[in-house]
Amino acid sequence: MKKRGFLRIARGVFFLIGIVCFMITLIMLAYQLYEKDSYRIDKPHQADHKVLFLCSYDPMYFTYKYQIEGLEDELYSNGIEFDVVYMDTKKFRSEDDLKEFYHFFRQRYEKNSKGFEGILLGDDDALIFAIDHQEDLFDGLPMVFFGVNDLGLAHKAETNPYITGFYENNFLDQTFMTAIKLFPDHKNLVSIHDDSAAGKSDINQFYALKNEYSEYSFDDIDTSLLTKRELIETLRVLPSDTLLFYMTCYNDCQGNVHSLYDSTSVIVNNTDVPIFRNYAEGRDSGVLGGTYMDFYTQARDAAHIMSDVINKKSDISKYDLSLYTPGITEFNYPLMKKYGISTKQLPSDTVFYGKPVTFYELYKNMLPVVFFMAVSLVSFIISAFLALKNEKRQVRILRSSKEQLLNSQNKLVYQANHDELLDLLNRRSIVEYLSNNLKNEQIYSVLMIDIDGFKDINENYGHQIGDKILVDISDTLKRYAEKNNMILGRYGGDEFLMLFKNKRLDSSSLIVKGIVTLFNKPFGADNVNVMLSASIGISNSDRETTPEQHIINAEIAMYEAKARGKNMVFVYAEDMKNKLIIESTIKAAFLEAFDSDGFYLMYQPKVSASTKEVIGYEALIRLRDYPYGPGAFIPVIEKSGWTIKLGRLITRLVVEQIYKWKSQGIEIHPVSINFSSRQIHDLGYCDYLQSLLYQYKVDPKYVQIEITETLLLEESSRTTELFDKFRRMNIKLLLDDFGTGYSSLAYLTYVPVDDVKLDKSLVDTYLCAGKEAFIKDVIQLVHDMGKTITIEGVEHEWQYLKLAEFKADTIQGYYFSKPLKPDEAIRYRAI
């Protein structure tokens, strides 16, 4: 048996491993396919905003492709599209060129100015142009710059409340440090640059390092002072111990603007010294390496600020000038080998161009897939092998266990018909027995027995003790059934079904009294003894009703016994069924009402006793299209556990009605909502009420909550917390039905209610000659406690006059008005 179990578990484990590995393989393949297609964010079909990107150069400039990718990724994902205008100042930077561009731009911009909500500025010339022409071209528009080399210009722009941006770090110092670390014997440092803004910034920073490194020789080559031929000759005579720093150098003395490719080709083909570059590009064409600013990240961050300004209405003046953008270190791997440089000499995040791809690097994304696929296949093979081996073993076991199965068949039949715990006929078997063995013309009684409060036994002592006590009860009933020739079965958890033939029973029958007597002694288990009682329902044969229906009838009678207080015996009568039908009808009506707007509210005015002016209303729920009043349906709701749902519905209807009155410009008064003690379990009620008041913009002073004394009896932390929440929300509390139940003026000393509602029963009992002083004293006591008092159920003028004389604050009752529809209630006047 152990070996068979082991084989089954092992087969399942390997099969599960195979399935898991196969699913992991599919997920990894899908992820890799998805990752291939998810590098770029597509332009949205419809954008909500539009900005302008003013680029200093042309699309062929080496930084443009990184900048445009950063802008697209950030702007498109935030519903912003953009146009691009190129200044091309690398080729056309004279004063006349800039004037011509200004006129061209002005003419074009005036046609499309209404569509732009912001300006993005790429590099120094675009920023200068924007500052010079801000008033006539970009007045009031937010502007974000990036790629600006002139730090002074960047600081100047920052003082403008409509401009912020990013200074372009050239990472010369980091490139410089890397170079002298890699070539400690090279003492001749040469910078190659031009006279552009970026070139001037580069050379200034280059010479700024001279004082710190006095043992090195610093020199520079200004390409804007040389022809191409002169540049080549200068490069060819550089000493062998030179480190060449390739900076911004695209202009020559003849006014030619060379491309990055052309400039790089001239430099790398005419010198053998190590070439370092603190800008992107060139590593694939002979530049050894260096660190450069991440143009993509800077452009994306600039676009992010513009997105916040446009979409989130952020104040652009709150954004400070950014002086740092992360850099990227990139080196030419073949040249590293030429100069004997190890990858360990460079930062761990260095990008290596031209580095041979190892087998692992080439297939690292596929290796996990192959691994999991192999594990999956091996697991499936092992699982299949174990399944085959287990199958053969099962065949042998089945052949040898045929006799054992036949012997156990009777036991299985018995177990199928009997309750495992109590060894009684189970529900199916006892019902089948009654159906198969009783005829309509026979005389018999069916008894349904339910143990009262047995749920508490399980909760207080645990199910293990509960089961043992249930066994003790079962054994007692079993002995009594055998003694009196009765059939006994377990119908449910703590419900038993008994059959007594040849006699119709009632509560006075000796057989029934004997069952009741069984519960006069305690039942016990493991030193736990408890006194229990039983509710018993009886259904007697009548030559018409089927045995199955008698079971149902006995159950109905049993539930009637429990509803009447438990520990009772009831014989089924037809009115019990009618009561159940009515209750079921009310439940169905409520379910339909919840789904189809089947509830509505009536409002009974509350009238000032002194002025007869309406000062508020009480909201009263009604059921639409059904003849059931609150007295009929409220108990069903509470019994069915729908109090919380109905409470929230009433609250929503009240707040909506106050909002409607307010929208109509009608003078409104507070509306009180009845809060059932069962709603204490609605922990989110206060938040729900708060959200409704906020949604409909209703002042909390127009909503009041009527609580009952039942809620006060608990005095739990939950009620205290509830009262505190209402107080913090400025919701007034009214104590409803005072004078019923366990009424005590002591409650009023600690319960934070603002108004006490005196119940109609007290008015009817004590507001009469010889007793009216009681009512007067109650009113005075309530006033002495600093609270107001409302008298309910006032139906006659003499009652009103007497209560007004006693200084009652508020009158509610049919003398003034019955509950009214919303439109009638808001128009009602007592005077």
Side-chain angles (χ1 to χ4, degrees), residues 119-269:
I119 308 297
L120 292 162
L121 306 169
D123 296 280
D124 298 64
D125 292 326
L127 176 57
I128 293 171
F129 180 84
I131 293 174
D132 291 343
H133 302 288
Q134 180 181 13
E135 186 174 341
D136 60 330
L137 293 179
F138 310 120
D139 188 32
L141 288 179
M143 292 185 278
V144 183
F145 62 83
F146 51 92
V148 171
N149 303 96
D150 188 338
L151 183 59
L153 174 62
H155 280 301
K156 175 184 176 183
E158 184 189 20
T159 62
N160 190 309
Y162 292 97
I163 303 177
T164 192
F166 296 78
Y167 171 68
E168 180 181 326
N169 317 90
N170 65 10
F171 287 90
L172 176 61
D173 52 348
Q174 188 170 336
T175 302
F176 183 89
M177 291 293 295
T178 303
I180 62 176
K181 178 182 177 182
L182 295 176
F183 296 94
D185 297 330
H186 288 56
K187 301 298 183 179
N188 187 36
L189 310 179
V190 178
S191 166
I192 181 168
H193 66 95
D194 61 14
D195 64 348
S196 66
K200 291 177 180 178
S201 176
D202 288 338
I203 194 60
N204 289 337
Q205 293 189 43
F206 176 73
Y207 277 114
L209 298 169
K210 186 174 182 179
N211 293 333
E212 188 176 349
Y213 299 94
S214 57
E215 70 272 24
Y216 289 89
S217 171
F218 283 75
D219 199 0
D220 71 278
I221 302 172
D222 189 345
T223 62
S224 60
L225 301 177
L226 303 173
T227 64
K228 185 175 182 179
R229 171 52 57 187
E230 290 171 339
L231 174 61
I232 292 173
E233 292 173 356
T234 303
L235 290 169
R236 287 178 176 176
V237 297
L238 289 174
S240 60
D241 65 341
T242 299
L243 295 178
L244 182 61
F245 294 91
Y246 173 18
M247 301 180 178
T248 305
C249 55
Y250 306 113
N251 305 327
D252 61 20
C253 66
Q254 298 173 330
N256 298 316
V257 178
H258 300 279
S259 67
L260 174 66
Y261 176 81
D262 187 23
S263 298
T264 305
S265 177
V266 169
I267 294 172
V268 301
N269 287 323

Side-chain angles (χ1 to χ4, degrees), residues 7-19 375-391:
L7 290 175
R8 183 168 62 252
I9 293 172
R11 179 189 64 184
V13 168
F14 279 106
F15 183 77
L16 181 60
I17 292 173
I19 290 293
V375 172
S376 176
L377 290 174
V378 171
S379 299
F380 283 138
I381 292 171
I382 295 175
S383 177
F385 172 77
L386 293 175
L388 180 61
K389 188 173 181 179
N390 188 58
E391 188 68 26

Side-chain angles (χ1 to χ4, degrees), residues 805-823:
E805 177 187 339
F806 292 164
K807 304 301 183 183
D809 298 289
T810 308
I811 303 297
Q812 182 179 347
Y814 275 53
Y815 170 65
F816 283 111
S817 176
K818 63 181 181 180
L820 303 172
K821 294 180 180 179
D823 291 341

Side-chain angles (χ1 to χ4, degrees), residues 702-719:
Y702 292 120
V703 175
Q704 299 175 344
I705 298 296
E706 295 194 14
I707 61 175
T708 60
E709 295 170 5
T710 308
L711 186 61
L712 303 180
L713 287 173
E714 298 186 14
E715 290 191 68
S716 65
S717 59
R718 188 174 294 177
T719 59

Side-chain angles (χ1 to χ4, degrees), residues 451-453 457 518-524 529-533:
I451 311 303
D452 297 327
I457 302 298
L518 296 176
F519 290 88
N520 290 339
K521 70 176 184 67
F523 295 94
N529 293 298
V530 293
M531 290 298 298
L532 296 170
S533 63

Side-chain angles (χ1 to χ4, degrees), residues 429-447:
S429 298
I430 187 69
V431 172
E432 285 183 357
Y433 178 86
L434 267 63
S435 300
N436 297 333
N437 293 276
L438 295 176
K439 305 298 181 183
N440 289 355
E441 59 272 13
Q442 287 181 265
I443 298 175
Y444 59 87
S445 292
V446 176
L447 295 84

Side-chain angles (χ1 to χ4, degrees), residues 546-602:
T546 63
E548 293 87 348
Q549 186 60 47
H550 278 302
I551 295 174
I552 296 173
N553 293 347
E555 187 173 17
I556 293 173
M558 180 268 292
Y559 280 119
E560 183 69 18
K562 295 184 77 67
R564 296 286 186 91
K566 304 179 181 179
N567 193 26
M568 301 181 74
V569 179
F570 272 83
V571 178
Y572 173 79
E574 198 64 27
D575 61 338
M576 296 181 187
K577 185 174 182 180
N578 294 336
K579 178 182 176 183
L580 189 63
I581 291 173
I582 292 174
E583 185 174 311
S584 299
T585 304
I586 293 175
K587 287 182 180 180
F590 256 76
L591 289 174
E592 182 181 353
F594 276 129
D595 295 332
S596 60
D597 191 25
F599 295 101
Y600 67 96
L601 292 179
M602 300 289 281

